[in-house]
């Protein structure tokens, strides 16, 4: 194991150690990226306003004794722990949406929005009511009983539920915030497309009965 790998492993243990003492409570790790691209990891503390925010939720963990204290100072790596999977979510709101020029009496509900769940229990918002198909990897067994006999997968479809009422308005606010993040941190080649998508979604929310 290289020195960098050992440092990364120790840092990950230190980050997750407090979680081992909790039982029946989920813990959230926030991955924050500022305007300069600096990445930090925070336990149960949302990112600062203006930062890109991604989260990873760790479910209930069994009770375990706290690790023995060691007089070793470890510098955490600048990036996320290895094999960590984060989901981009709505971060702290820093801007005020413009006031609609359409009278309230003439406004309509926002376009339909669906909350879809993937086979691994992650969720996302979609304007399409057609669930995506995903190829879920399956374990394969060789003739000698070992693994590595090839690759196989099972086709599964996401399950999507239409949102209504206050849930629909909240989801649209989250969708607009996420579009703003994607526009802010987009590569130069994607900047115009991200901006157009953000402005489209923002107009759909501003001119709706949600505002």
């Amino acid at each position: 194991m290289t020195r960098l790998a050992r440092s990364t492993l120790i840092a990950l243990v230190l980050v997750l150690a407090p979680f081992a003492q909790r039982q029946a409570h989920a813990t959230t790790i926030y991955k924050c990226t500022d305007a300069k691209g600096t990445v930090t990891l925070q336990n149960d503390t949302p990112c600062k306003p203006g930062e890109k925010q991604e989260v990873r939720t760790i479910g209930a963990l069994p009770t375990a004794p706290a690790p023995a204290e060691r007089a070793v100072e470890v510098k955490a790596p600048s990036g996320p722990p290895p094999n960590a999977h984060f989901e981009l979510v709505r971060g702290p709101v820093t801007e005020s949406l413009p006031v609609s020029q359409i009278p309230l009496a003439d406004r309509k509900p926002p376009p339909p929005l669906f909350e879809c769940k993937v086979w691994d229990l992650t969720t996302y918002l979609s304007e399409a009511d057609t669930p995506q198909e995903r190829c879920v990897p399956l374990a394969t067994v060789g003739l000698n009983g070992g693994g590595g006999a090839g690759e196989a997968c099972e086709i599964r479809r996401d399950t999507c539920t239409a949102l209504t009422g206050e849930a629909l308005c909240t989801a649209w606010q989250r969708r607009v915030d996420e579009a703003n993040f994607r526009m802010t941190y987009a590569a130069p080649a994607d900047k115009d497309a991200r901006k157009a998508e953000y402005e489209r979604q923002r107009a759909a929310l501003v001119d709706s009965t949600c505002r």
Side-chain angles (χ1 to χ4, degrees), residues 122-136:
T122 57
T123 61
Y124 64 92
L125 297 175
S126 174
E127 294 181 50
D129 61 352
T130 303
Q132 297 185 34
E133 290 186 348
R134 303 178 188 273
C135 186
V136 181

Side-chain angles (χ1 to χ4, degrees), residues 5 24 50 64 78 84 98 192 195:
S78 59
D192 291 342
K195 180 180 180 181

Side-chain angles (χ1 to χ4, degrees), residues 156-168:
R156 295 189 188 180
R157 296 176 66 88
D158 299 346
T159 56
C160 298
T161 304
L163 299 173
T164 59
E166 186 64 27
L168 178 61

